[in-house]
């Protein structure tokens, strides 16, 4: 098992779904984890309790990462709690689906801010301590929708495709500082985020997935833990799809 002993990680949007699984898997491998959330305090505290019950170290930190000041406060809280920052996982995200004809400016801004600007905000705050340490791992959660597009999700697809361009550009900037920056693009993983889809839409995705099933949050987490590890030291600027073969690049 990949060893992350003595590493310190921040996972945004870790109170539930994929972020929860990422926080628990990083902790299981030895990392101290900051469990970020926006509003669901009880859920975030439950994640911390699950990690500490298993012998790990974790704290919950509330911050709306779509806001620059709160993203900076989150990274400061991590440094205050654990003294350093090795791994940043930008996982927080949301959807507000609508056809372009009916999509409001507010729906557009909310998704771009939560899914793309949040990545800019947290990376801005995290790169200073990482550059000082001359090492770091940044993993951004994109989506296959950012690669292939999806009707009804122009806002989300633009944000997730933006995350990929951002990841590649930052990987070029930070390579000389020994900091890797990669993206993980999940396919369909049943969580609160996907509950809004109709049974018909879910069956259509299933039909196009060669492995013939949906993914589990833990299966995304394993990919993140690998990219966060020392073993992944020569991998940067890549997009790792975790999608049962739904979108082959
Ligand atoms: P989810 O179950 O809806 O969980 C979203 C998490 O993000 C929650 O912890 C939520 O916190 C947090 N969050 C949302 N906005 C935030 C903000 N502004 N600041 C801080 N935290 C915020 O979603 P999920 O399915 O696990 O998705 C996680 C990531 O994977 C997202 O980036 C999503 O786009 C991506 N993804 C998901 C799928 C899928 O099929 N599920 C596929 C591809 C990509 P609260 O609990 O406090 O609200």
């Amino acid at each position: 098992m990949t060893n992350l002993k003595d590493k310190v990680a921040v996972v945004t949007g870790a109170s539930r779904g994929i972020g929860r699984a990422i926080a628990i898997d990083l902790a299981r491998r030895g990392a101290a984890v900051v469990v970020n959330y926006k509003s669901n305090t009880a859920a975030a505290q439950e994640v911390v309790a699950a990690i500490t019950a298993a012998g790990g170290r974790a704290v919950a930190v509330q911050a709306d990462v779509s806001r620059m000041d709160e993203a900076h406060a989150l990274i400061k809280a991590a440094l205050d709690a654990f003294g350093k920052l090795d791994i940043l996982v930008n996982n927080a995200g949301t959807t507000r689906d609508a056809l372009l004809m009916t999509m409001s400016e507010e729906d557009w801004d909310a998704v771009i801010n939560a899914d793309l600007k949040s990545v800019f905000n947290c990376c801005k705050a995290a790169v200073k301590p990482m550059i000082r340490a001359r090492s770091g791992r940044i993993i951004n959660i994109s989506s296959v929708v950012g690669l292939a597009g999806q009707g009804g999700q122009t806002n989300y697809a633009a944000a997730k495709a933006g995350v990929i361009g951002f990841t590649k550009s930052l990987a070029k900037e930070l390579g000389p500082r020994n900091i890797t920056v990669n993206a993980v693009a999940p396919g369909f993983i049943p969580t609160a985020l996907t509950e809004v889809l109709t049974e018909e839409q879910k069956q259509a995705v299933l039909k196009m997935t060669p492995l013939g099933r949906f993914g589990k949050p833990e299966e995304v987490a394993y990919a993140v833990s690998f990219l966060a590890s020392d073993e992944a030291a020569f991998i940067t600027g890549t997009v790792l799809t975790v999608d049962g073969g739904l979108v082959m690049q």
Side-chain angles (χ1 to χ4, degrees), residues 192-241:
L193 196 76
T194 55
E195 262 169 23
V196 293
L197 298 182
T198 64
E199 196 48 42
E200 204 183 351
Q201 286 171 314
K202 289 179 190 172
Q203 288 307 319
V205 175
L206 207 51
K207 237 177 152 177
M208 290 187 300
T209 305
L211 285 179
R213 65 172 177 86
F214 298 137
K216 300 177 191 143
E218 293 75 20
E219 291 173 314
V220 179
Y222 301 150
V224 171
S225 290
F226 168 63
L227 290 171
S229 72
D230 289 346
E231 286 89 341
F234 201 53
I235 301 173
T236 197
T238 198
V239 183
L240 179 54
T241 52

mmCIF file of all heavy atoms in Angstrom, residues 192-241:
data_model
loop_
_atom_site.group_PDB
_atom_site.id
_atom_site.type_symbol
_atom_site.label_atom_id
_atom_site.label_comp_id
_atom_site.label_asym_id
_atom_site.label_seq_id
_atom_site.Cartn_x
_atom_site.Cartn_y
_atom_site.Cartn_z
ATOM 1 N N ALA A 192 -24.358 12.502 -3.981
ATOM 2 C CA ALA A 192 -25.431 13.502 -3.963
ATOM 3 C C ALA A 192 -25.444 14.310 -5.263
ATOM 4 O O ALA A 192 -26.501 14.731 -5.750
ATOM 5 C CB ALA A 192 -25.255 14.423 -2.766
ATOM 6 N N LEU A 193 -24.239 14.503 -5.845
ATOM 7 C CA LEU A 193 -24.106 15.314 -7.067
ATOM 8 C C LEU A 193 -24.844 14.696 -8.249
ATOM 9 O O LEU A 193 -25.351 15.408 -9.116
ATOM 10 C CB LEU A 193 -22.616 15.448 -7.414
ATOM 11 C CG LEU A 193 -22.221 16.534 -8.395
ATOM 12 C CD1 LEU A 193 -22.253 17.891 -7.704
ATOM 13 C CD2 LEU A 193 -20.824 16.288 -8.949
ATOM 14 N N THR A 194 -24.893 13.362 -8.290
ATOM 15 C CA THR A 194 -25.493 12.680 -9.443
ATOM 16 C C THR A 194 -26.949 12.280 -9.187
ATOM 17 O O THR A 194 -27.602 11.738 -10.079
ATOM 18 C CB THR A 194 -24.674 11.415 -9.805
ATOM 19 O OG1 THR A 194 -24.584 10.587 -8.637
ATOM 20 C CG2 THR A 194 -23.285 11.766 -10.269
ATOM 21 N N GLU A 195 -27.429 12.531 -7.970
ATOM 22 C CA GLU A 195 -28.808 12.142 -7.610
ATOM 23 C C GLU A 195 -29.848 12.857 -8.475
ATOM 24 O O GLU A 195 -30.967 12.374 -8.645
ATOM 25 C CB GLU A 195 -29.080 12.448 -6.137
ATOM 26 C CG GLU A 195 -28.919 11.225 -5.240
ATOM 27 C CD GLU A 195 -28.926 11.579 -3.776
ATOM 28 O OE1 GLU A 195 -29.466 12.644 -3.411
ATOM 29 O OE2 GLU A 195 -28.365 10.793 -3.000
ATOM 30 N N VAL A 196 -29.473 14.027 -9.011
ATOM 31 C CA VAL A 196 -30.430 14.816 -9.797
ATOM 32 C C VAL A 196 -30.716 14.209 -11.171
ATOM 33 O O VAL A 196 -31.692 14.569 -11.819
ATOM 34 C CB VAL A 196 -29.933 16.278 -9.988
ATOM 35 C CG1 VAL A 196 -29.916 17.023 -8.675
ATOM 36 C CG2 VAL A 196 -28.561 16.309 -10.649
ATOM 37 N N LEU A 197 -29.854 13.263 -11.607
ATOM 38 C CA LEU A 197 -30.046 12.675 -12.936
ATOM 39 C C LEU A 197 -31.217 11.697 -12.943
ATOM 40 O O LEU A 197 -31.482 11.022 -11.948
ATOM 41 C CB LEU A 197 -28.766 11.955 -13.386
ATOM 42 C CG LEU A 197 -27.527 12.824 -13.539
ATOM 43 C CD1 LEU A 197 -26.351 12.003 -14.035
ATOM 44 C CD2 LEU A 197 -27.770 13.989 -14.504
ATOM 45 N N THR A 198 -31.912 11.616 -14.078
ATOM 46 C CA THR A 198 -33.039 10.676 -14.194
ATOM 47 C C THR A 198 -32.504 9.267 -14.391
ATOM 48 O O THR A 198 -31.343 9.074 -14.795
ATOM 49 C CB THR A 198 -33.916 11.031 -15.415
ATOM 50 O OG1 THR A 198 -33.111 10.862 -16.599
ATOM 51 C CG2 THR A 198 -34.429 12.460 -15.340
ATOM 52 N N GLU A 199 -33.358 8.280 -14.132
ATOM 53 C CA GLU A 199 -32.980 6.869 -14.325
ATOM 54 C C GLU A 199 -32.568 6.649 -15.784
ATOM 55 O O GLU A 199 -31.610 5.923 -16.069
ATOM 56 C CB GLU A 199 -34.173 5.990 -13.938
ATOM 57 C CG GLU A 199 -33.843 4.531 -13.712
ATOM 58 C CD GLU A 199 -32.624 4.283 -12.806
ATOM 59 O OE1 GLU A 199 -32.459 4.972 -11.769
ATOM 60 O OE2 GLU A 199 -31.821 3.413 -13.169
ATOM 61 N N GLU A 200 -33.260 7.296 -16.698
ATOM 62 C CA GLU A 200 -32.968 7.174 -18.132
ATOM 63 C C GLU A 200 -31.544 7.674 -18.426
ATOM 64 O O GLU A 200 -30.793 7.027 -19.161
ATOM 65 C CB GLU A 200 -34.004 8.001 -18.892
ATOM 66 C CG GLU A 200 -34.211 7.552 -20.311
ATOM 67 C CD GLU A 200 -35.195 8.464 -21.049
ATOM 68 O OE1 GLU A 200 -35.824 9.334 -20.403
ATOM 69 O OE2 GLU A 200 -35.306 8.310 -22.267
ATOM 70 N N GLN A 201 -31.189 8.818 -17.847
ATOM 71 C CA GLN A 201 -29.842 9.370 -18.066
ATOM 72 C C GLN A 201 -28.775 8.426 -17.494
ATOM 73 O O GLN A 201 -27.733 8.207 -18.100
ATOM 74 C CB GLN A 201 -29.731 10.759 -17.409
ATOM 75 C CG GLN A 201 -30.476 11.849 -18.155
ATOM 76 C CD GLN A 201 -30.530 13.154 -17.364
ATOM 77 O OE1 GLN A 201 -30.825 13.172 -16.167
ATOM 78 N NE2 GLN A 201 -30.243 14.254 -18.032
ATOM 79 N N LYS A 202 -29.057 7.871 -16.317
ATOM 80 C CA LYS A 202 -28.095 6.954 -15.690
ATOM 81 C C LYS A 202 -27.905 5.694 -16.551
ATOM 82 O O LYS A 202 -26.774 5.240 -16.741
ATOM 83 C CB LYS A 202 -28.582 6.557 -14.286
ATOM 84 C CG LYS A 202 -28.496 7.694 -13.281
ATOM 85 C CD LYS A 202 -29.004 7.257 -11.918
ATOM 86 C CE LYS A 202 -29.145 8.445 -10.991
ATOM 87 N NZ LYS A 202 -29.807 8.132 -9.726
ATOM 88 N N GLN A 203 -29.000 5.154 -17.069
ATOM 89 C CA GLN A 203 -28.905 3.959 -17.897
ATOM 90 C C GLN A 203 -28.133 4.242 -19.178
ATOM 91 O O GLN A 203 -27.380 3.386 -19.663
ATOM 92 C CB GLN A 203 -30.312 3.420 -18.219
ATOM 93 C CG GLN A 203 -31.012 2.766 -17.034
ATOM 94 C CD GLN A 203 -30.176 1.668 -16.350
ATOM 95 O OE1 GLN A 203 -29.519 0.868 -17.002
ATOM 96 N NE2 GLN A 203 -30.175 1.652 -15.019
ATOM 97 N N ALA A 204 -28.283 5.450 -19.726
ATOM 98 C CA ALA A 204 -27.563 5.827 -20.954
ATOM 99 C C ALA A 204 -26.054 5.839 -20.695
ATOM 100 O O ALA A 204 -25.269 5.360 -21.519
ATOM 101 C CB ALA A 204 -28.043 7.202 -21.433
ATOM 102 N N VAL A 205 -25.645 6.354 -19.522
ATOM 103 C CA VAL A 205 -24.210 6.376 -19.172
ATOM 104 C C VAL A 205 -23.708 4.945 -19.015
ATOM 105 O O VAL A 205 -22.639 4.579 -19.514
ATOM 106 C CB VAL A 205 -23.975 7.173 -17.860
ATOM 107 C CG1 VAL A 205 -22.509 7.090 -17.436
ATOM 108 C CG2 VAL A 205 -24.392 8.626 -18.017
ATOM 109 N N LEU A 206 -24.503 4.140 -18.338
ATOM 110 C CA LEU A 206 -24.125 2.752 -18.069
ATOM 111 C C LEU A 206 -23.876 2.001 -19.381
ATOM 112 O O LEU A 206 -22.919 1.231 -19.514
ATOM 113 C CB LEU A 206 -25.264 2.088 -17.288
ATOM 114 C CG LEU A 206 -24.914 0.929 -16.359
ATOM 115 C CD1 LEU A 206 -23.772 1.281 -15.428
ATOM 116 C CD2 LEU A 206 -26.147 0.545 -15.545
ATOM 117 N N LYS A 207 -24.742 2.238 -20.344
ATOM 118 C CA LYS A 207 -24.656 1.571 -21.651
ATOM 119 C C LYS A 207 -23.347 1.908 -22.372
ATOM 120 O O LYS A 207 -22.805 1.094 -23.105
ATOM 121 C CB LYS A 207 -25.827 2.049 -22.521
ATOM 122 C CG LYS A 207 -26.701 0.919 -23.014
ATOM 123 C CD LYS A 207 -27.858 1.480 -23.778
ATOM 124 C CE LYS A 207 -28.376 0.528 -24.819
ATOM 125 N NZ LYS A 207 -29.536 1.093 -25.493
ATOM 126 N N MET A 208 -22.860 3.138 -22.151
ATOM 127 C CA MET A 208 -21.647 3.584 -22.845
ATOM 128 C C MET A 208 -20.372 3.248 -22.062
ATOM 129 O O MET A 208 -19.268 3.603 -22.477
ATOM 130 C CB MET A 208 -21.710 5.102 -23.057
ATOM 131 C CG MET A 208 -22.759 5.518 -24.075
ATOM 132 S SD MET A 208 -22.668 7.271 -24.456
ATOM 133 C CE MET A 208 -22.950 8.039 -22.883
ATOM 134 N N THR A 209 -20.516 2.614 -20.886
ATOM 135 C CA THR A 209 -19.355 2.330 -20.037
ATOM 136 C C THR A 209 -18.895 0.884 -20.244
ATOM 137 O O THR A 209 -19.604 -0.045 -19.852
ATOM 138 C CB THR A 209 -19.716 2.564 -18.544
ATOM 139 O OG1 THR A 209 -20.213 3.890 -18.398
ATOM 140 C CG2 THR A 209 -18.514 2.366 -17.641
ATOM 141 N N PRO A 210 -17.717 0.673 -20.878
ATOM 142 C CA PRO A 210 -17.271 -0.689 -21.173
ATOM 143 C C PRO A 210 -17.262 -1.610 -19.954
ATOM 144 O O PRO A 210 -17.588 -2.785 -20.082
ATOM 145 C CB PRO A 210 -15.859 -0.478 -21.729
ATOM 146 C CG PRO A 210 -15.924 0.866 -22.360
ATOM 147 C CD PRO A 210 -16.822 1.685 -21.478
ATOM 148 N N LEU A 211 -16.907 -1.102 -18.781
ATOM 149 C CA LEU A 211 -16.877 -1.986 -17.610
ATOM 150 C C LEU A 211 -18.275 -2.289 -17.078
ATOM 151 O O LEU A 211 -18.440 -3.095 -16.152
ATOM 152 C CB LEU A 211 -15.978 -1.416 -16.506
ATOM 153 C CG LEU A 211 -14.474 -1.559 -16.779
ATOM 154 C CD1 LEU A 211 -13.645 -0.944 -15.657
ATOM 155 C CD2 LEU A 211 -14.065 -3.014 -16.974
ATOM 156 N N GLY A 212 -19.307 -1.637 -17.622
ATOM 157 C CA GLY A 212 -20.687 -2.010 -17.344
ATOM 158 C C GLY A 212 -21.187 -1.726 -15.940
ATOM 159 O O GLY A 212 -22.139 -2.359 -15.480
ATOM 160 N N ARG A 213 -20.565 -0.779 -15.261
ATOM 161 C CA ARG A 213 -21.050 -0.402 -13.929
ATOM 162 C C ARG A 213 -20.625 1.028 -13.625
ATOM 163 O O ARG A 213 -19.779 1.590 -14.329
ATOM 164 C CB ARG A 213 -20.512 -1.357 -12.863
ATOM 165 C CG ARG A 213 -18.990 -1.315 -12.684
ATOM 166 C CD ARG A 213 -18.537 -2.127 -11.484
ATOM 167 N NE ARG A 213 -17.088 -2.164 -11.325
ATOM 168 C CZ ARG A 213 -16.362 -1.262 -10.682
ATOM 169 N NH1 ARG A 213 -16.926 -0.202 -10.145
ATOM 170 N NH2 ARG A 213 -15.048 -1.391 -10.587
ATOM 171 N N PHE A 214 -21.192 1.589 -12.558
ATOM 172 C CA PHE A 214 -20.748 2.898 -12.091
ATOM 173 C C PHE A 214 -19.521 2.713 -11.192
ATOM 174 O O PHE A 214 -19.261 1.615 -10.704
ATOM 175 C CB PHE A 214 -21.861 3.595 -11.306
ATOM 176 C CG PHE A 214 -23.096 3.862 -12.122
ATOM 177 C CD1 PHE A 214 -24.360 3.628 -11.609
ATOM 178 C CD2 PHE A 214 -22.998 4.346 -13.415
ATOM 179 C CE1 PHE A 214 -25.503 3.862 -12.365
ATOM 180 C CE2 PHE A 214 -24.128 4.591 -14.186
ATOM 181 C CZ PHE A 214 -25.384 4.344 -13.656
ATOM 182 N N GLY A 215 -18.798 3.812 -10.966
ATOM 183 C CA GLY A 215 -17.616 3.738 -10.095
ATOM 184 C C GLY A 215 -17.970 3.977 -8.642
ATOM 185 O O GLY A 215 -19.087 4.394 -8.316
ATOM 186 N N LYS A 216 -17.006 3.693 -7.782
ATOM 187 C CA LYS A 216 -17.190 3.949 -6.345
ATOM 188 C C LYS A 216 -16.283 5.113 -5.957
ATOM 189 O O LYS A 216 -15.171 5.237 -6.494
ATOM 190 C CB LYS A 216 -16.770 2.718 -5.530
ATOM 191 C CG LYS A 216 -17.562 1.469 -5.847
ATOM 192 C CD LYS A 216 -17.006 0.293 -5.039
ATOM 193 C CE LYS A 216 -17.592 -1.009 -5.541
ATOM 194 N NZ LYS A 216 -16.662 -2.104 -5.538
ATOM 195 N N PRO A 217 -16.699 5.938 -4.986
ATOM 196 C CA PRO A 217 -15.839 7.043 -4.541
ATOM 197 C C PRO A 217 -14.426 6.568 -4.186
ATOM 198 O O PRO A 217 -13.443 7.239 -4.494
ATOM 199 C CB PRO A 217 -16.575 7.581 -3.310
ATOM 200 C CG PRO A 217 -18.008 7.239 -3.552
ATOM 201 C CD PRO A 217 -18.007 5.933 -4.297
ATOM 202 N N GLU A 218 -14.334 5.370 -3.590
ATOM 203 C CA GLU A 218 -13.013 4.835 -3.186
ATOM 204 C C GLU A 218 -12.112 4.623 -4.404
ATOM 205 O O GLU A 218 -10.889 4.740 -4.306
ATOM 206 C CB GLU A 218 -13.166 3.489 -2.461
ATOM 207 C CG GLU A 218 -13.853 3.572 -1.109
ATOM 208 C CD GLU A 218 -15.362 3.782 -1.203
ATOM 209 O OE1 GLU A 218 -15.956 3.494 -2.273
ATOM 210 O OE2 GLU A 218 -15.955 4.261 -0.219
ATOM 211 N N GLU A 219 -12.711 4.299 -5.552
ATOM 212 C CA GLU A 219 -11.895 4.029 -6.738
ATOM 213 C C GLU A 219 -11.272 5.320 -7.282
ATOM 214 O O GLU A 219 -10.196 5.295 -7.879
ATOM 215 C CB GLU A 219 -12.729 3.310 -7.792
ATOM 216 C CG GLU A 219 -13.064 1.883 -7.324
ATOM 217 C CD GLU A 219 -14.036 1.145 -8.240
ATOM 218 O OE1 GLU A 219 -15.062 1.734 -8.645
ATOM 219 O OE2 GLU A 219 -13.781 -0.028 -8.531
ATOM 220 N N VAL A 220 -11.934 6.438 -7.060
ATOM 221 C CA VAL A 220 -11.322 7.735 -7.403
ATOM 222 C C VAL A 220 -10.226 8.040 -6.374
ATOM 223 O O VAL A 220 -9.133 8.505 -6.711
ATOM 224 C CB VAL A 220 -12.383 8.859 -7.414
ATOM 225 C CG1 VAL A 220 -11.733 10.202 -7.742
ATOM 226 C CG2 VAL A 220 -13.490 8.541 -8.409
ATOM 227 N N ALA A 221 -10.518 7.742 -5.119
ATOM 228 C CA ALA A 221 -9.554 8.016 -4.043
ATOM 229 C C ALA A 221 -8.233 7.280 -4.269
ATOM 230 O O ALA A 221 -7.161 7.846 -4.033
ATOM 231 C CB ALA A 221 -10.162 7.622 -2.693
ATOM 232 N N TYR A 222 -8.296 6.029 -4.735
ATOM 233 C CA TYR A 222 -7.049 5.266 -4.932
ATOM 234 C C TYR A 222 -6.162 5.953 -5.977
ATOM 235 O O TYR A 222 -4.944 5.991 -5.832
ATOM 236 C CB TYR A 222 -7.349 3.831 -5.391
ATOM 237 C CG TYR A 222 -8.207 3.030 -4.431
ATOM 238 C CD1 TYR A 222 -9.057 2.021 -4.891
ATOM 239 C CD2 TYR A 222 -8.184 3.273 -3.059
ATOM 240 C CE1 TYR A 222 -9.847 1.289 -4.021
ATOM 241 C CE2 TYR A 222 -8.977 2.541 -2.185
ATOM 242 C CZ TYR A 222 -9.816 1.557 -2.672
ATOM 243 O OH TYR A 222 -10.607 0.834 -1.815
ATOM 244 N N ALA A 223 -6.785 6.501 -7.012
ATOM 245 C CA ALA A 223 -6.010 7.201 -8.055
ATOM 246 C C ALA A 223 -5.360 8.459 -7.467
ATOM 247 O O ALA A 223 -4.201 8.772 -7.761
ATOM 248 C CB ALA A 223 -6.927 7.568 -9.215
ATOM 249 N N VAL A 224 -6.114 9.163 -6.631
ATOM 250 C CA VAL A 224 -5.576 10.379 -5.997
ATOM 251 C C VAL A 224 -4.406 10.020 -5.078
ATOM 252 O O VAL A 224 -3.355 10.677 -5.105
ATOM 253 C CB VAL A 224 -6.694 11.108 -5.205
ATOM 254 C CG1 VAL A 224 -6.109 12.241 -4.356
ATOM 255 C CG2 VAL A 224 -7.761 11.646 -6.166
ATOM 256 N N SER A 225 -4.568 8.971 -4.286
ATOM 257 C CA SER A 225 -3.500 8.582 -3.357
ATOM 258 C C SER A 225 -2.231 8.204 -4.112
ATOM 259 O O SER A 225 -1.122 8.523 -3.673
ATOM 260 C CB SER A 225 -3.950 7.406 -2.473
ATOM 261 O OG SER A 225 -4.924 7.846 -1.566
ATOM 262 N N PHE A 226 -2.406 7.550 -5.252
ATOM 263 C CA PHE A 226 -1.220 7.209 -6.062
ATOM 264 C C PHE A 226 -0.524 8.493 -6.542
ATOM 265 O O PHE A 226 0.695 8.642 -6.390
ATOM 266 C CB PHE A 226 -1.613 6.338 -7.261
ATOM 267 C CG PHE A 226 -0.498 6.214 -8.260
ATOM 268 C CD1 PHE A 226 0.707 5.602 -7.917
ATOM 269 C CD2 PHE A 226 -0.617 6.751 -9.540
ATOM 270 C CE1 PHE A 226 1.759 5.525 -8.825
ATOM 271 C CE2 PHE A 226 0.431 6.681 -10.445
ATOM 272 C CZ PHE A 226 1.621 6.060 -10.089
ATOM 273 N N LEU A 227 -1.296 9.426 -7.096
ATOM 274 C CA LEU A 227 -0.684 10.667 -7.600
ATOM 275 C C LEU A 227 -0.059 11.487 -6.471
ATOM 276 O O LEU A 227 0.841 12.290 -6.713
ATOM 277 C CB LEU A 227 -1.722 11.489 -8.370
ATOM 278 C CG LEU A 227 -2.164 10.883 -9.712
ATOM 279 C CD1 LEU A 227 -3.356 11.644 -10.289
ATOM 280 C CD2 LEU A 227 -1.005 10.862 -10.721
ATOM 281 N N ALA A 228 -0.539 11.280 -5.242
ATOM 282 C CA ALA A 228 0.003 12.011 -4.083
ATOM 283 C C ALA A 228 1.274 11.367 -3.545
ATOM 284 O O ALA A 228 1.969 11.955 -2.705
ATOM 285 C CB ALA A 228 -1.051 12.057 -2.977
ATOM 286 N N SER A 229 1.587 10.171 -4.030
ATOM 287 C CA SER A 229 2.674 9.392 -3.417
ATOM 288 C C SER A 229 4.046 9.722 -3.996
ATOM 289 O O SER A 229 4.157 10.317 -5.071
ATOM 290 C CB SER A 229 2.397 7.899 -3.631
ATOM 291 O OG SER A 229 2.615 7.568 -4.999
ATOM 292 N N ASP A 230 5.088 9.265 -3.319
ATOM 293 C CA ASP A 230 6.453 9.406 -3.821
ATOM 294 C C ASP A 230 6.636 8.612 -5.118
ATOM 295 O O ASP A 230 7.420 8.989 -5.978
ATOM 296 C CB ASP A 230 7.457 8.904 -2.769
ATOM 297 C CG ASP A 230 7.537 9.853 -1.574
ATOM 298 O OD1 ASP A 230 7.041 10.999 -1.687
ATOM 299 O OD2 ASP A 230 8.077 9.446 -0.528
ATOM 300 N N GLU A 231 5.895 7.515 -5.251
ATOM 301 C CA GLU A 231 6.015 6.666 -6.449
ATOM 302 C C GLU A 231 5.602 7.422 -7.717
ATOM 303 O O GLU A 231 6.014 7.064 -8.821
ATOM 304 C CB GLU A 231 5.147 5.410 -6.319
ATOM 305 C CG GLU A 231 5.696 4.360 -5.365
ATOM 306 C CD GLU A 231 5.232 4.546 -3.928
ATOM 307 O OE1 GLU A 231 4.785 5.668 -3.569
ATOM 308 O OE2 GLU A 231 5.319 3.583 -3.162
ATOM 309 N N ALA A 232 4.791 8.468 -7.575
ATOM 310 C CA ALA A 232 4.304 9.222 -8.740
ATOM 311 C C ALA A 232 5.159 10.462 -9.027
ATOM 312 O O ALA A 232 4.710 11.382 -9.715
ATOM 313 C CB ALA A 232 2.845 9.616 -8.522
ATOM 314 N N ALA A 233 6.395 10.453 -8.523
ATOM 315 C CA ALA A 233 7.245 11.650 -8.601
ATOM 316 C C ALA A 233 7.525 12.134 -10.023
ATOM 317 O O ALA A 233 7.811 13.314 -10.236
ATOM 318 C CB ALA A 233 8.568 11.373 -7.884
ATOM 319 N N PHE A 234 7.448 11.241 -11.020
ATOM 320 C CA PHE A 234 7.785 11.639 -12.394
ATOM 321 C C PHE A 234 6.542 11.844 -13.249
ATOM 322 O O PHE A 234 6.610 11.893 -14.466
ATOM 323 C CB PHE A 234 8.714 10.574 -13.018
ATOM 324 C CG PHE A 234 9.512 11.088 -14.189
ATOM 325 C CD1 PHE A 234 10.287 12.238 -14.085
ATOM 326 C CD2 PHE A 234 9.511 10.419 -15.412
ATOM 327 C CE1 PHE A 234 11.023 12.719 -15.155
ATOM 328 C CE2 PHE A 234 10.237 10.888 -16.496
ATOM 329 C CZ PHE A 234 11.000 12.044 -16.365
ATOM 330 N N ILE A 235 5.384 11.977 -12.594
ATOM 331 C CA ILE A 235 4.126 12.185 -13.328
ATOM 332 C C ILE A 235 3.622 13.591 -13.033
ATOM 333 O O ILE A 235 3.345 13.929 -11.882
ATOM 334 C CB ILE A 235 3.051 11.165 -12.891
ATOM 335 C CG1 ILE A 235 3.543 9.734 -13.144
ATOM 336 C CG2 ILE A 235 1.741 11.421 -13.633
ATOM 337 C CD1 ILE A 235 2.613 8.656 -12.591
ATOM 338 N N THR A 236 3.540 14.422 -14.069
ATOM 339 C CA THR A 236 2.964 15.756 -13.866
ATOM 340 C C THR A 236 2.264 16.223 -15.143
ATOM 341 O O THR A 236 2.633 15.813 -16.252
ATOM 342 C CB THR A 236 4.025 16.774 -13.385
ATOM 343 O OG1 THR A 236 3.343 17.906 -12.840
ATOM 344 C CG2 THR A 236 4.973 17.216 -14.495
ATOM 345 N N GLY A 237 1.226 17.021 -14.962
ATOM 346 C CA GLY A 237 0.479 17.578 -16.099
ATOM 347 C C GLY A 237 -0.421 16.573 -16.788
ATOM 348 O O GLY A 237 -0.883 16.803 -17.908
ATOM 349 N N THR A 238 -0.706 15.467 -16.121
ATOM 350 C CA THR A 238 -1.517 14.430 -16.769
ATOM 351 C C THR A 238 -2.971 14.481 -16.303
ATOM 352 O O THR A 238 -3.283 15.081 -15.274
ATOM 353 C CB THR A 238 -0.902 13.029 -16.509
ATOM 354 O OG1 THR A 238 -1.427 12.124 -17.467
ATOM 355 C CG2 THR A 238 -1.230 12.505 -15.124
ATOM 356 N N VAL A 239 -3.834 13.841 -17.084
ATOM 357 C CA VAL A 239 -5.248 13.703 -16.702
ATOM 358 C C VAL A 239 -5.533 12.210 -16.628
ATOM 359 O O VAL A 239 -5.473 11.509 -17.635
ATOM 360 C CB VAL A 239 -6.194 14.344 -17.738
ATOM 361 C CG1 VAL A 239 -7.642 14.252 -17.264
ATOM 362 C CG2 VAL A 239 -5.806 15.785 -18.018
ATOM 363 N N LEU A 240 -5.805 11.737 -15.430
ATOM 364 C CA LEU A 240 -6.074 10.307 -15.230
ATOM 365 C C LEU A 240 -7.578 10.100 -15.161
ATOM 366 O O LEU A 240 -8.239 10.587 -14.236
ATOM 367 C CB LEU A 240 -5.385 9.851 -13.934
ATOM 368 C CG LEU A 240 -5.558 8.393 -13.505
ATOM 369 C CD1 LEU A 240 -5.166 7.421 -14.612
ATOM 370 C CD2 LEU A 240 -4.706 8.119 -12.264
ATOM 371 N N THR A 241 -8.140 9.414 -16.158
ATOM 372 C CA THR A 241 -9.580 9.142 -16.123
ATOM 373 C C THR A 241 -9.833 7.915 -15.253
ATOM 374 O O THR A 241 -9.091 6.935 -15.305
ATOM 375 C CB THR A 241 -10.155 8.904 -17.538
ATOM 376 O OG1 THR A 241 -9.367 7.914 -18.189
ATOM 377 C CG2 THR A 241 -10.141 10.167 -18.368
#
